[in-house]
Amino acid sequence: MSNNTSDTLPDIRQTVLLNAPIQKVWDAVATAEGIAAWFMPNDFKPELGYEFELQAGPFGNSPCKVTELDPPRRLSFTWAKDWTLTFELAEREGKTEFTLTHGGWNPDVVTEFGETHRVVRERMSQGWVGIVQKLASHVEG
């Protein structure tokens, strides 16, 4: 396989405008309880370099590590062996623009579960739509 740019898979990116103040959204995406309410059970702590696990049900626990922390605007962490998740928040007249970026996709890589990134990315791209909707319901409720 060649390594030209057409072989890379684009990041998954979801942006949504949430009818909630930025601090409320930050608490939902940067605390263990908040993340559990819309994504997965976890033992996250908002500390740079902190290592934690996302509990992915039948897929087991995924090791993660906080790589960027800029409250209440930006949080990044590595997820499993290949990926990075980034949550970006911006104030928009009392509401919060939330952008989720799921990066680290490589068509030549196979996950721990024996599926190619291309297959997993397609499924996750769909999955994130519903997950971000759960976040919206959680913070707007």
Side-chain angles (χ1 to χ4, degrees):
M1 288 211 179
S2 64
N3 282 330
N4 65 30
T5 50
S6 65
D7 281 348
T8 60
L9 296 173
D11 291 350
I12 295 172
R13 186 175 283 258
Q14 300 266 340
T15 299
V16 63
L17 188 63
L18 301 170
N19 189 12
I22 194 167
Q23 190 60 49
K24 184 174 184 183
V25 178
W26 179 256
D27 289 344
V29 303
T31 64
E33 300 80 8
I35 293 168
W38 61 278
F39 188 30
M40 298 181 185
N42 64 90
D43 57 355
F44 172 85
K45 284 187 183 164
E47 298 169 10
L48 199 58
Y50 186 77
E51 295 185 16
F52 65 101
E53 288 186 332
L54 287 172
Q55 294 155 22
F59 295 106
N61 292 352
S62 298
C64 303
K65 184 176 180 177
V66 180
T67 54
E68 277 187 81
L69 188 66
D70 179 19
R73 287 180 293 276
R74 187 178 173 93
L75 165 67
S76 283
F77 56 87
T78 58
W79 179 18
K81 65 182 179 63
D82 301 322
W83 296 313
T84 301
L85 278 184
T86 303
F87 303 151
E88 294 171 277
L89 289 67
E91 290 187 85
R92 296 283 183 262
E93 297 171 355
K95 299 181 180 181
T96 304
E97 185 181 83
F98 173 75
T99 301
L100 175 148
T101 304
H102 183 173
W105 300 102
N106 181 332
D108 300 332
V109 171
V110 172
T111 69
E112 300 94 309
F113 309 109
E115 294 180 307
T116 67
H117 272 201
R118 204 176 288 282
V119 168
V120 176
R121 185 188 177 283
E122 192 60 35
R123 187 169 63 233
M124 287 213 171
S125 187
Q126 301 301 315
W128 278 123
V129 175
I131 293 168
V132 168
Q133 285 307 309
K134 279 183 71 177
L135 171 64
S137 301
H138 176 67
V139 297
E140 292 177 353

